[in-house]
Every structure is written in structure tokens, then in C-alpha cells.
Amino acid sequence: MIRLGNNIRLTRREVERFTRITGLEPVGVRTLDDLDEYIRECKAHYWGVSEETRFLHWLLDEERSRCLDAA
């Protein structure tokens, strides 16, 4: 992730990872709030209490942390 003030830009690799994990491309993500909203929408799309769903939600949180660490 490239960060300049409040603005961010996901790298091609990050977009590919999020898309591969969720099947939903992170389009229009330009701020951290946008990224958080994208993750909330993905979690809402894949809701439930199964082990697989909890893993997916954890994985999304880990990818967000990875993006922030890279910035």
C-alpha cells in the first residue's frame, strides 16, 4: 500500500490478494476508511458463525494489518 496523508493506493499484489480471498475486487479504495468499508462489506457478504467464515474474517483482518505494515 502506498500512503500519502489520508490517501492510500493498494498495490496490484494487494488488490489481487483481496480479490482472491473474497472474490470481490476492492474498487474505489482511496482512503483507510474506504478500505475498512470494503472489509466490512466483505464480512457482511460472507456472514455466519462457521469455522470457515471466522477464518475468512480473520484473514481479511490480517491482510489489512499487512497493508498497514507495508505503508
Side-chain angles (χ1 to χ4, degrees), residues 50-64:
S50 70
E51 187 174 326
E52 291 83 5
T53 301
R54 288 192 315 256
F55 176 72
L56 177 63
H57 290 195
W58 173 83
L59 192 56
L60 284 167
D61 293 336
E62 287 296 307
E63 285 300 318
R64 182 191 185 279

Side-chain angles (χ1 to χ4, degrees), residues 6-20:
N6 291 332
N7 295 318
I8 65 168
R9 180 172 179 183
L10 297 176
T11 65
R12 181 179 304 155
R13 176 173 273 164
E14 290 163 341
V15 170
E16 289 170 355
R17 269 200 309 260
F18 277 115
T19 303
R20 184 172 182 193

